[in-house]
Amino acid sequence: METYTDVLLVTANVGSLFDNVGEIQNEWLREFYKTVHKYKPQFIALHFQEVGGKDYTVNMGHAESFFWSIESSEEMREFDRACIYVDNQFKAEDSFTALGSMYFIHKALKNIYQYDFTVKDFKAVSGKNKYVGSLDRVTTAEKEKFPKNFWPDFKWSRKGFMRTRWIIHNQGLDLVNVHLFHDASNLIACNSSPSIYSANRAKALRYVINRISDSSNTPLPFFLFGDFNFRLDTLSLVQYLSTSADVQTVKKDSSNEVEKIICEAKDNDHKVLLHIEAKLFAYLHQAVFREDNGKALLKYDKEVTAFHDVVREEQILFPPSYPYSEEYTKPTQYMNTRCPSWCDRILMSHAAQEFIHRREDAERSVVYNTLGPNVCMGDHKPVFLFFTLKTNHH
């Protein structure tokens, strides 16, 4: 007999929700609840990164109340079971990841079990289970910060992954919350193709995939969703954006170090088309990132292709998810700090893609999109995947 379970996966880098406390949060929650109401999933997985924001020592308390407001909300009352994991232990510098994962199970969903990594067995999920702290002693989640040598040039970052493991109607799956390294400087990102940062991310992502596929627990189909910080191939993109421009490289007086790259139009008024500095990426025709959902730029989105041997992704039909303006009144504008890119993704193993049920009715089949495209959600638009899980059970 086949069983169909509607599943909603969401990934959200929520750093800016806590850096401007309160302003964006209500909109953010409204968009999330609207999505739950529209798709009526029976199982929801929410993966958060940068819980507490940049100023986490001050704002971690706000972050916790954000989690509890979701869990206790009227909109979520039909979900009678929940498992919540918040790594808020910022004093434990060698293990703090700022990751948070929330899982909600609808009262209509029976036959759901969660894995205990200590006893290596599945147990039925009941009630509301909340784990806040370092999570080291939590037996139903595995959390790891990336080894320090993965990111040699920078101060200790909050990047890592957290995994939980489930059975839904006889189908086992791993759900992995991941946060990979960002681009520290736009200028360094332009130096080579692929950039040094993209090589760092690739190494970390291979590490995660190897860890969840190793033999210490029987490997299962998996969904890997989080802020991968994937960036467009900056060197090729800059060449494309400045095809008909004069490119000037400005160096610091004393050293040979590049300080900025300026691309000017060749016509009489010499408009600056593109201006790049370490933390500035200002492109005159920003609309290119939004029109047709940025489709013309997808060919520069190459980081995931190196992983096609092990992961798949639904087709991207939404504009780059980062870096949106944090100004309330400019919800569709990008900030001029970074080149817009598809940082927030939902990837799956080949085996996981096999059990996504594809209906003839495309409207209700599989939806891969951003949350809140027209409201301010912070610098990252959350990304969600809605699908029906097809399982066979006897």
Side-chain angles (χ1 to χ4, degrees):
M1 194 178 117
E2 287 183 337
T3 309
Y4 299 96
T5 309
D6 288 340
V7 173
L8 177 68
L9 308 179
V10 181
T11 180
N13 180 317
V14 285
S16 50
L17 262 61
F18 309 109
D19 292 330
N20 335 333
V21 176
E23 281 191 357
I24 317 170
Q25 203 160 298
N26 292 339
E27 287 289 352
W28 195 104
L29 289 167
R30 193 173 306 138
E31 289 299 316
F32 170 62
Y33 297 142
K34 252 168 45 184
T35 307
V36 172
H37 184 72
K38 178 176 179 181
Y39 295 104
K40 302 187 169 40
Q42 293 164 304
F43 181 84
I44 299 175
L46 271 167
H47 284 179
F48 295 120
Q49 306 82 40
E50 283 201 38
V51 172
K54 291 184 183 56
D55 210 353
Y56 47 83
T57 52
V58 177
N59 288 329
M60 198 49 93
H62 296 298
E64 282 174 56
S65 47
F66 169 70
F67 278 77
W68 308 150
S69 73
I70 297 177
E71 185 239 344
S72 60
S73 68
E74 181 61 19
E75 288 85 353
M76 302 300 284
R77 74 170 189 278
E78 301 279 283
F79 295 84
D80 60 353
R81 285 147 294 165
C83 296
I84 300 170
Y85 303 89
V86 190
D87 176 8
N88 70 354
Q89 246 1 46
F90 51 80
K91 291 198 174 76
E93 214 178 54
D94 51 349
S95 67
F96 176 53
T97 61
L99 294 174
S101 301
M102 303 181 88
Y103 304 96
F104 292 97
I105 297 148
H106 194 276
K107 62 183 189 213
L109 178 56
K110 306 291 177 252
N111 294 334
I112 181 152
Y113 302 87
Q114 203 185 8
Y115 194 67
D116 183 311
F117 290 96
T118 309
V119 299
K120 292 192 184 299
D121 201 6
F122 285 92
K123 299 174 176 174
V125 181
S126 61
K128 305 276 174 94
N129 308 283
K130 307 179 199 179
Y131 306 98
V132 179
S134 71
L135 309 182
D136 292 343
R137 293 191 189 83
V138 175
T139 59
T140 49
E142 278 196 330
K143 184 199 86 176
E144 213 178 306
K145 187 166 180 157
F146 291 121
K148 202 163 185 180
N149 60 345
F150 275 30
W151 191 229
D153 325 337
F154 293 88
K155 66 177 192 302
W156 209 194
S157 72
R158 313 183 285 287
K159 307 291 195 291
F161 67 96
M162 176 153 66
R163 147 166 87 156
T164 56
R165 171 166 273 210
W166 305 80
I167 287 179
I168 301 176
H169 290 301
N170 284 6
Q171 178 58 63
L173 55 133
D174 269 338
L175 300 178
V176 188
N177 185 351
V178 67
H179 193 186
L180 301 182
F181 309 115
H182 58 281
D183 279 16
S185 157
N186 296 320
L187 293 168
I188 292 173
C190 290
N191 280 347
S192 60
S193 183
S195 81
I196 177 158
Y197 302 121
S198 107
N200 283 347
R201 287 189 281 273
K203 182 179 172 186
L205 183 52
R206 273 291 164 205
Y207 178 82
V208 175
I209 292 170
N210 291 340
R211 276 285 289 106
I212 64 176
S213 315
D214 70 19
S215 55
S216 59
N217 300 284
T218 316
L220 286 177
F222 60 81
F223 287 89
L224 203 54
F225 47 115
D227 178 1
F228 291 84
N229 261 313
F230 287 159
R231 303 302 167 103
L232 302 182
D233 184 355
T234 317
L235 183 59
S236 324
L237 177 70
V238 167
Q239 285 163 347
Y240 163 75
L241 296 178
S242 59
T243 318
S244 55
D246 286 323
V247 182
Q248 298 172 312
T249 309
V250 180
K251 299 198 167 166
K252 287 191 182 141
D253 296 342
S254 51
S255 66
N256 217 9
E257 205 182 328
V258 174
E259 195 172 33
K260 46 185 119 164
I261 298 170
I262 294 174
C263 307
E264 293 183 349
K266 288 191 166 132
D267 53 26
N268 293 340
D269 53 0
H270 299 291
K271 281 196 297 288
V272 173
L273 298 174
L274 177 61
H275 180 168
I276 303 175
E277 294 182 22
K279 292 199 167 19
L280 178 76
F281 191 99
Y283 183 55
L284 185 64
H285 307 297
Q286 209 195 63
V288 72
F289 296 108
R290 288 190 296 267
E291 62 205 16
D292 205 5
N293 292 320
K295 193 174 172 185
L297 305 171
L298 271 170
K299 60 174 175 289
Y300 301 104
D301 174 58
K302 295 176 182 169
E303 293 195 37
V304 76
T305 50
F307 289 87
H308 279 168
D309 58 327
V310 283
V311 294
R312 291 268 186 271
E313 184 177 22
E314 292 297 309
Q315 195 186 352
I316 292 181
L317 300 167
F318 50 87
S321 62
Y322 170 84
Y324 280 90
S325 167
E326 293 172 321
E327 276 184 61
Y328 204 69
T329 53
K330 300 180 176 171
T332 59
Q333 260 202 295
Y334 290 104
M335 276 194 283
N336 289 336
T337 48
R338 298 274 180 249
C339 175
S341 59
W342 287 275
C343 287
D344 306 276
R345 315 280 278 250
I346 299 177
L347 309 180
M348 64 204 83
S349 62
H350 298 193
Q353 197 176 39
E354 294 295 298
F355 55 63
I356 289 183
H357 175 56
R358 296 178 193 278
R359 297 194 183 99
E360 277 61 71
D361 165 17
E363 197 34 37
R364 285 287 294 166
S365 153
V366 178
V367 186
Y368 188 33
N369 211 340
T370 51
L371 278 186
N374 301 311
V375 302
C376 181
M377 302 288 279
D379 58 351
H380 287 258
K381 296 277 185 210
V383 168
F384 75 91
L385 179 69
F386 171 78
F387 63 94
T388 301
L389 177 69
K390 180 176 66 182
T391 51
N392 297 306
H393 65 136
H394 319 296

